Amino acid sequence: MTPDEFRQAGHALVDWIANYRERLAAGDYPVQARVSPGEILAQVPAAAPEHGEPFANVLRDIDELLMPGITHWQHPRFFGFFPSGGSLSSVLADMLSTGLGVIGLNWQASPALTELEQGMTDWLRDLLGLPSTFSGVLQDTASAATFVALVCARERATDYGAARAGLQDRACPPLVVYTSAQAHSSVEKAALLAGFGREFVRAIAIDEDFCLVPEALEAAVRKDRAAGLRPCAIVATSGTTATTAFDPIAPIARIAQEERLWLHVDGAMGGSAMILPEYRHHWEGIEAADSIVVNPHKWLTTAFDCSLYLVRDPEHLVRVMSTNPSYLQTAVDAKVRNYRDWGIPLGRRFRALKIWFALRADGAEALRRRVRADIDSAKWLAAEVGRTARWRCVAPVTLQTVCVCHEPPGLSGSELDDHTRRWTAAINDSGRAYLTPAVVAGRWMTRVSIGSEHVSRESVEELWRIMRETASAAATAR
Amino acid sequence: MTPDEFRQAGHALVDWIANYRERLAAGDYPVQARVSPGEILAQVPAAAPEHGEPFANVLRDIDELLMPGITHWQHPRFFGFFPSGGSLSSVLADMLSTGLGVIGLNWQASPALTELEQGMTDWLRDLLGLPSTFSGVLQDTASAATFVALVCARERATDYGAARAGLQDRACPPLVVYTSAQAHSSVEKAALLAGFGREFVRAIAIDEDFCLVPEALEAAVRKDRAAGLRPCAIVATSGTTATTAFDPIAPIARIAQEERLWLHVDGAMGGSAMILPEYRHHWEGIEAADSIVVNPHKWLTTAFDCSLYLVRDPEHLVRVMSTNPSYLQTAVDAKVRNYRDWGIPLGRRFRALKIWFALRADGAEALRRRVRADIDSAKWLAAEVGRTARWRCVAPVTLQTVCVCHEPPGLSGSELDDHTRRWTAAINDSGRAYLTPAVVAGRWMTRVSIGSEHVSRESVEELWRIMRETASAAATAR
């Protein structure tokens, strides 16, 4: 494709995206894709074309082949999972990143990529109210960041054992990782990837609000130590996936310091709320964390992938993650950050542009306004649920997620679970809204997660009408 | 940013990128950025703006603030590292990916994302001449893919030890990983991240062409087994970073099968050449590999990040990598691929669009033409080097990388090293071209890596003039 062809095709695609977003904002699409497994793949030719074709054909197939298979995360009635940032400013930023086509494998390979990343991670850190003792890097996901944290924990606990026998040092007592049963699935995955083994990952008890109980952590650590094991890391969550519960950081940090545990805080979702000073009490004690991850690509509008990983001791991170082959060395290495040593991949996109564009185009105040509006909508919905017969919030509404259960008379246990999943699936299948069911305290409930790009109070009100209507119909139809 | 503002800003940015590429193709920019450490960061305001500003300001700052700090990877005289794909079709694809703003955390979350990825990884597998026994997934980088491979190897060797004590099972003999000293730095990094420990990573001897010696591998495996260790994985390289050497797959695969080692083939760079049937002898025996990684984002024009990871047994991969919390379960899980279980991150971009756009806009034949042209240019340069006094190729030219040394009379050892690094740095600092120096066989040499988006025979000829001129001047100035 020549620059001239790109000019023409690019203008057409920009218009396509603008039109798509306008139609989305108007609620024009069914939220959930309406295709069966294999339906899209069956339309993809078996072999790659030998010769190019006009871009108009591709544009046509976006509409005809792809769009039926898209579940619209930026739809005003998408309330599934957690929101995924979709600001149009960051769409432009990603286009520039790819258009420049530079790779940040060391500072010299594009100083602007590295230094804007330093600047933008500082901006975000400060917006979140964190002290300047933290240094930041952008990674792809919280899954990767949490893995990096656990590897750093492992290495600190073994005095850099990776340089010797790694986790295969038979003289070293087994290391143990602690988290709560409400932690994201990526925490256990990260621990297993790092070699700890499931037997050495402890799910610490939670209280009735789904927050980790510090006393239970303390007891577990002592028990393990008494058994000859070596407690290594605690992963606390700020905004759990099921209910956005906040584990209490201050008492956990105190235990971490006393017991020499690495404290990693998974604030992938809830960390974003810390741009609001009135929510920072949830982070009391955070300055003692060894590492923190917050995903601007969730609630702070920057497009996926853009995960902020903050550490108190970058020297330790670099020592654990670094490689230094001859072909990557430059004369200025001692004076610069080489972000390849701050994560897993060597190659790195120019991700900082997404934060730069989003904050310059829209401003920090717009982010705070958006986060506040989503929280207000969640509170409104929770109040409606609370004053409606047969409906119940099954968890405290801390942020923008409302966990609800509709309880028709006479239903309990697995029958109630079936009902919950049935009405939720009925809404999703209708295309009118999209919700994620999940299990807490052993029972299915339905999460309403507010925060997609085009969400508004009106779309939440519309959802609530749909929920009541659909759940009642499902109860009657039984 | 509203859709209307996006329309206007997007058109301006499309034009900016088209103009940038035209100026690049004309060789208008100094290749290497000309800023000092800290110079860009000093111009970034200390705090994020509270309020938005016109996009024209951002466009202006791209030129004024960022561009001086860009090293132009798509420049016709960029010969550093390995090329990074920069086709304009894949710029459009990335824009669409971000514009849609969907996340592939399970099939239902956007069936088109998953199924186009199945289709496109099949297209690539077939273009590379691999049998349909391989199944593919797109990951961010070969670093991540190689890590995943080593974790799969670890789990196969321990009968899924992660579900028990992981690498901390004191009853299990230590596992050993084998590779060559010419392997990419990401291989050792992956092994250390996975917990093996440096004492259990063996650098197998290479021959005079920098290829792993199978007999040395066999001897190392037997020695370790005799010492009570458990040989676990061999990482062979197809196209090493320093010289694009190919480890001999067939004899290595035979040893791997006999010794029950996981065979991972790092074809990040060299694998791309397999789109040319006349190069497939380098891959003889490849069908026995357990896993292969090839980076279309290097030489096959798709923009970073787009790394193809192929496995023979996806069931094993999924069992090792999967998580299944309630909030990710859907009714169709048994019938579909959930690619989150094929790698580290849960969230996934719509990367397959890059391959789809690139192949439809340009066609497979254009890729082959491009790869052949780069190899021809490399052969031309090697011939020039070979017939020029004081110049020498220090490694066989297998693909598109030419490793050269300029040897003025009377210089050897560290003085010759200094000379090599001096003239290479002089070229880089001049902005006329960009090259990467590296060490092979204990001595510095200079890599000429051909394959950037706008490279041509003319730019290689121009480079050769610059090299002779600069190296001679450096020799004289001593």
Side-chain angles (χ1 to χ4, degrees):
Chain A
M1 182 178 276
T2 66
D4 257 342
E5 291 165 341
F6 171 79
R7 221 176 246 115
Q8 203 187 337
H11 286 187
L13 191 58
V14 164
D15 290 342
W16 188 96
I17 292 170
N19 295 343
Y20 169 64
R21 291 301 185 96
E22 279 168 349
R23 287 189 58 187
L24 259 193
D28 252 14
Y29 295 91
V31 190
Q32 180 183 268
R34 287 173 155 170
V35 292
S36 308
E39 200 174 323
I40 306 273
L41 183 58
Q43 298 171 68
V44 177
E50 280 298 304
H51 304 288
E53 56 187 310
F55 188 72
N57 295 4
V58 180
L59 261 184
R60 181 201 62 212
D61 283 352
I62 295 171
D63 284 314
E64 294 182 4
L65 193 151
L66 293 189
M67 290 310 278
I70 295 295
T71 296
H72 303 279
W73 285 60
Q74 309 305 330
H75 194 291
R77 287 190 304 278
F78 180 91
F79 300 100
F81 310 110
F82 277 138
S84 182
S87 69
L88 287 168
S89 50
S90 64
V91 176
L92 296 179
D94 240 10
M95 175 165 59
L96 178 61
S97 168
T98 320
L100 288 170
V102 301
I103 302 293
L105 48 67
N106 63 21
W107 177 87
Q108 194 187 71
S110 269
L113 188 157
T114 295
E115 298 197 5
L116 196 67
E117 188 162 332
Q118 288 185 248
M120 293 305 101
T121 52
D122 284 355
W123 278 13
L124 286 174
R125 176 198 64 203
D126 296 347
L127 286 175
L128 295 170
L130 290 167
S132 59
T133 43
F134 286 98
S135 305
V137 59
L138 298 177
Q139 300 193 348
D140 64 343
T141 56
S143 303
T146 296
F147 171 74
V148 168
L150 288 183
V151 171
C152 285
R154 186 187 80 190
E155 296 307 307
R156 194 174 72 180
T158 57
D159 192 22
Y160 301 95
R164 302 182 306 278
L167 274 185
Q168 308 196 96
D169 181 353
R170 299 303 177 235
C172 176
L175 309 177
V176 187
V177 174
Y178 304 83
T179 190
S180 97
Q182 292 294 304
H184 190 260
S185 55
S186 60
V187 177
E188 185 185 71
K189 182 168 177 172
L192 301 194
L193 291 176
F196 289 97
R198 195 170 282 139
E199 282 176 15
F200 299 112
V201 181
R202 306 268 177 267
I204 301 301
I206 49 173
D207 62 21
E208 67 283 5
D209 290 340
F210 309 104
C211 306
L212 186 147
V213 177
E215 294 74 19
L217 169 65
E218 198 161 26
V221 169
R222 291 199 175 149
K223 186 176 162 199
D224 284 333
R225 225 181 264 291
L229 307 179
R230 183 178 292 173
C232 169
I234 163 76
V235 180
T237 307
S238 293
T240 58
T241 310
T243 72
T244 65
F246 280 75
D247 293 336
I249 302 297
I252 293 172
R254 199 155 45 237
I255 298 166
Q257 282 182 320
E258 283 168 14
E259 300 285 349
R260 298 181 309 284
L261 303 177
W262 185 281
L263 171 54
H264 175 63
V265 176
D266 173 3
M269 180 63 195
S272 294
M274 303 304 135
I275 61 169
L276 304 183
E278 65 268 32
Y279 279 83
R280 295 209 184 122
H281 60 277
H282 285 301
W283 257 9
E284 203 199 312
I286 191 73
E287 61 284 353
D290 291 290
S291 55
I292 307 170
V293 61
V294 176
N295 284 352
H297 70 229
K298 284 195 165 66
W299 206 8
L300 297 183
T301 83
T302 51
F304 187 87
D305 45 9
C306 187
S307 185
L308 172 67
Y309 181 60
L310 293 154
V311 294
R312 259 199 309 142
D313 180 1
E315 287 305 312
H316 176 75
L317 173 65
V318 169
R319 185 164 164 196
V320 170
M321 304 299 291
S322 78
T323 56
N324 198 25
S326 61
Y327 45 83
L328 294 176
Q329 295 167 18
T330 74
V332 295
D333 284 345
K335 296 183 209 159
V336 296
R337 270 193 201 174
N338 279 318
Y339 270 128
R340 72 169 183 273
D341 298 335
W342 293 54
I344 302 170
L346 170 58
R348 312 184 76 251
R349 282 173 68 83
F350 201 158
R351 288 198 184 96
L353 290 173
K354 292 194 264 204
I355 300 167
W356 199 50
F357 276 37
L359 281 167
R360 293 194 60 184
D362 303 316
E365 191 46 35
L367 292 187
R368 290 191 204 98
R369 208 163 43 233
R370 169 207 178 97
V371 168
R372 281 199 185 101
D374 292 340
I375 293 175
D376 283 348
S377 290
K379 284 182 180 158
W380 174 86
L381 177 62
E384 290 291 311
V385 168
R387 63 190 187 76
T388 305
R390 309 291 171 201
W391 286 88
R392 192 166 66 87
C393 282
V394 301
V397 178
T398 323
L399 297 178
Q400 48 54 270
T401 299
V402 186
C403 299
V404 303
C405 200
H406 175 249
E407 297 171 333
L411 278 193
S412 64
S414 67
E415 282 187 335
L416 182 57
D417 280 350
D418 290 345
H419 172 67
T420 300
R421 296 169 76 182
R422 200 161 43 232
W423 71 257
T424 310
I427 290 179
N428 290 354
D429 292 344
S430 77
R432 297 168 75 194
Y434 189 86
L435 301 164
T436 307
V439 173
V440 283
R443 292 260 72 92
W444 283 90
M445 55 82 178
T446 300
R447 295 168 70 260
V448 179
S449 170
I450 298 169
S452 79
E453 186 66 22
H454 299 289
V455 75
S456 64
R457 176 63 61 86
E458 290 66 37
S459 54
V460 177
E461 290 172 4
E462 175 67 12
L463 169 73
W464 177 225
R465 277 191 294 275
I466 295 168
M467 285 166 66
R468 281 174 298 165
E469 192 183 300
T470 313
S472 296
T476 311
R478 259 187 331 119
Chain B
M1 182 178 278
T2 66
D4 256 343
E5 290 165 343
F6 171 78
R7 222 177 245 112
Q8 203 186 340
H11 286 187
L13 190 59
V14 163
D15 290 341
W16 188 95
I17 292 171
N19 295 342
Y20 169 64
R21 291 300 185 96
E22 279 168 351
R23 288 188 57 187
L24 259 193
D28 252 16
Y29 294 91
V31 191
Q32 181 184 267
R34 287 175 156 168
V35 294
S36 308
E39 201 175 322
I40 306 273
L41 184 57
Q43 297 171 70
V44 177
E50 281 297 304
H51 303 287
E53 55 187 310
F55 188 72
N57 294 5
V58 179
L59 261 182
R60 181 201 63 212
D61 282 352
I62 295 171
D63 283 315
E64 295 183 3
L65 192 150
L66 294 189
M67 291 309 281
I70 296 294
T71 296
H72 303 279
W73 284 60
Q74 309 305 330
H75 194 290
R77 288 192 302 280
F78 180 91
F79 300 100
F81 310 108
F82 278 138
S84 183
S87 70
L88 288 168
S89 49
S90 63
V91 176
L92 296 180
D94 240 10
M95 176 166 58
L96 178 61
S97 168
T98 321
L100 288 171
V102 299
I103 302 294
L105 48 68
N106 62 20
W107 177 88
Q108 193 187 73
S110 268
L113 188 157
T114 295
E115 297 197 5
L116 196 68
E117 188 162 332
Q118 288 184 249
M120 293 305 102
T121 53
D122 285 354
W123 277 13
L124 287 174
R125 175 198 63 203
D126 297 347
L127 286 175
L128 296 170
L130 290 167
S132 60
T133 42
F134 286 98
S135 306
V137 60
L138 298 177
Q139 301 192 346
D140 63 344
T141 57
S143 303
T146 295
F147 171 75
V148 168
L150 289 182
V151 170
C152 285
R154 187 186 80 191
E155 295 308 307
R156 193 174 72 179
T158 57
D159 191 21
Y160 300 96
R164 301 182 307 275
L167 274 184
Q168 308 195 97
D169 180 353
R170 298 305 178 233
C172 176
L175 308 178
V176 188
V177 173
Y178 305 83
T179 192
S180 97
Q182 291 296 304
H184 190 261
S185 56
S186 59
V187 177
E188 185 185 73
K189 182 168 177 173
L192 301 193
L193 291 176
F196 289 96
R198 193 170 283 140
E199 282 177 15
F200 298 112
V201 181
R202 308 266 175 269
I204 302 300
I206 48 173
D207 64 21
E208 68 282 5
D209 290 341
F210 309 106
C211 307
L212 186 145
V213 177
E215 295 74 19
L217 169 64
E218 197 161 26
V221 169
R222 291 198 176 152
K223 186 176 163 198
D224 283 333
R225 225 180 263 291
L229 307 179
R230 183 177 293 173
C232 168
I234 164 75
V235 180
T237 307
S238 294
T240 58
T241 311
T243 73
T244 65
F246 280 74
D247 293 336
I249 302 296
I252 292 172
R254 201 156 42 239
I255 298 166
Q257 282 182 320
E258 283 167 14
E259 300 285 350
R260 299 182 306 285
L261 302 177
W262 185 281
L263 171 55
H264 175 63
V265 176
D266 174 3
M269 180 63 194
S272 295
M274 301 306 135
I275 63 169
L276 303 182
E278 65 268 31
Y279 279 84
R280 293 207 186 126
H281 60 277
H282 284 302
W283 257 9
E284 203 199 313
I286 192 73
E287 60 284 352
D290 291 289
S291 56
I292 307 169
V293 61
V294 177
N295 284 350
H297 70 228
K298 283 195 164 67
W299 206 7
L300 297 184
T301 81
T302 50
F304 186 87
D305 45 10
C306 187
S307 184
L308 172 67
Y309 181 60
L310 293 155
V311 294
R312 260 200 308 141
D313 181 0
E315 286 305 311
H316 177 75
L317 172 64
V318 168
R319 185 164 164 195
V320 170
M321 304 299 289
S322 77
T323 56
N324 198 25
S326 61
Y327 46 83
L328 294 176
Q329 295 167 17
T330 74
V332 295
D333 284 347
K335 297 182 209 159
V336 296
R337 270 193 201 174
N338 278 317
Y339 270 130
R340 72 169 182 271
D341 298 335
W342 293 54
I344 303 169
L346 169 58
R348 313 183 76 249
R349 280 173 69 84
F350 201 157
R351 288 196 183 98
L353 290 172
K354 291 194 265 205
I355 300 167
W356 199 51
F357 276 37
L359 280 167
R360 292 194 61 183
D362 302 316
E365 191 46 35
L367 292 187
R368 291 192 204 97
R369 207 161 46 233
R370 170 206 177 100
V371 167
R372 282 199 184 100
D374 292 340
I375 293 175
D376 283 348
S377 290
K379 284 182 180 158
W380 175 86
L381 177 61
E384 289 292 311
V385 168
R387 63 190 188 74
T388 305
R390 307 291 172 204
W391 285 88
R392 192 166 65 86
C393 283
V394 301
V397 178
T398 324
L399 297 177
Q400 47 55 268
T401 300
V402 186
C403 299
V404 302
C405 200
H406 175 250
E407 297 172 332
L411 277 193
S412 64
S414 67
E415 282 188 336
L416 183 56
D417 280 348
D418 289 345
H419 172 67
T420 300
R421 297 170 75 181
R422 197 159 47 230
W423 70 256
T424 309
I427 290 179
N428 291 353
D429 292 344
S430 77
R432 296 168 75 194
Y434 189 86
L435 301 164
T436 307
V439 174
V440 282
R443 291 262 74 90
W444 283 90
M445 55 84 180
T446 300
R447 294 168 70 260
V448 179
S449 171
I450 298 170
S452 78
E453 186 65 24
H454 300 288
V455 76
S456 63
R457 176 63 61 86
E458 290 66 37
S459 55
V460 177
E461 290 173 4
E462 174 68 12
L463 169 73
W464 178 226
R465 278 191 292 276
I466 295 168
M467 284 166 67
R468 281 174 298 166
E469 190 184 302
T470 313
S472 296
T476 313
R478 259 187 328 120

